[in-house]
Amino acid sequence: MRRLRASEALRNLVRETVLDPGDFILPLFICPGEGVRREISSMPGHAQLSVDRLVKECAEAHELGIGGVILFGIPETKDELASGAFADDGIVQQAVRALKREVPKLLVMTDVCNCEYTSHGHCGLVVDGEVQNDPTLEWLAKAAVSHARAGADVVAPSDMMDGRVAAIRKALDTAGFTNTPIVSYAAKYASVFYGPFREAAESTPQFGDRRSYQMDPANSREAMREIELDIEEGADVIMVKPAMPYLDVIREARQRFPTPLGAYQVSGEFSMLTAAINNGWLDRDRTILESLTAIRRAGADFVLTYFAKDAARLLA
Ligand code: PBG
């Protein structure tokens, strides 16, 4: 076996998984104001950005050739009804309009969820301490349509309510957005690795947790059912999240479904690796590239990653 490992040229020739900047989607957090860059302490190098700063960041990301960005909003105020999630002048809607004006060729995905917009931090309508499924679908559908109206290229529901893909597809079609694809966070686990994101997006649930809607980390057959249902409901692309602790789920989804497949290397994965890198325990460049290669090798076509810009630079 060692004959083919003897030189860089030979290793290049037989490499099975190749990374490209176009495979990476950069998640970004948008906050109100102007000239704002508020560092996120648990995610070194990442920050909440006001729309003007976001535009600069995205212009740079586009220059680097990355596949796109996904936007998360931190609204001025939160309420019980997640009003900010579907307001036409909501924070994400403003950001999308600005990006489509200033960096029109960059692929803009929007995360469709309510937890950043509700006062209690849950992803849906809460009645008697329980997250309600069907009433939440209307909020999600309205949010998706408002994102599409603002110019989003793709909408990505991450709430894990049952039936949301069908509800969003129907609402988009009715509003005339028949060509807006849905990237569904189909198999999304109730993971500890979202911890830093909740600091970034200010979306920690004020009571309880998300285990009544996100998946049990112990299950993989259930993930296949989730994915199957989302495809039946009209998902154009499916996603597994988190990524590195769930490579088996990515692999199985790849084998079972011909649908394009994404994986989300989530905040906790980024923070964990960055902490080791910053301590000098892991080599930065190799850590970034090996972690992303592993996710692609397992079967993901593209990766949402906070390392998107760093990886793109390394591949340049
Ligand atoms: C919204 C959402 C979350 C993430 C993406 N969309 C947080 C959550 O479900 O609590 C996590 C992303 C990350 O950790 O990087 N529901």
Side-chain angles (χ1 to χ4, degrees), residues 72 111 113 115-116 123 158-159 185 188 193-195 197-198 203 210 214 241 264-268 306:
F72 297 91
D111 184 85
C113 195
C115 56
E116 298 116 69
C123 302
S158 70
D159 53 283
Y185 289 72
K188 174 172 175 179
F193 295 107
Y194 308 151
F197 173 95
R198 292 182 189 167
S203 64
R210 302 207 202 291
Q214 300 179 349
K241 170 187 179 189
Y264 198 147
Q265 184 182 48
V266 300
S267 57
Y306 299 94

Side-chain angles (χ1 to χ4, degrees), residues 134-210:
D134 291 8
T136 302
L137 300 183
E138 283 170 43
W139 297 3
L140 295 164
K142 278 200 281 184
V145 169
S146 74
H147 294 171
R149 196 177 293 126
D153 296 299
V154 174
V155 293
S158 70
D159 53 283
M160 290 300 277
M161 297 301 125
D162 287 332
R164 81 303 176 50
V165 173
I168 290 172
R169 184 71 271 157
K170 190 161 162 243
L172 286 172
D173 290 353
T174 306
F177 298 107
T178 48
N179 288 330
T180 304
I182 299 175
V183 173
S184 167
Y185 289 72
K188 174 172 175 179
Y189 288 87
S191 173
V192 70
F193 295 107
Y194 308 151
F197 173 95
R198 292 182 189 167
E199 181 203 337
E202 301 176 10
S203 64
T204 309
Q206 299 303 299
F207 62 89
D209 54 46
R210 302 207 202 291

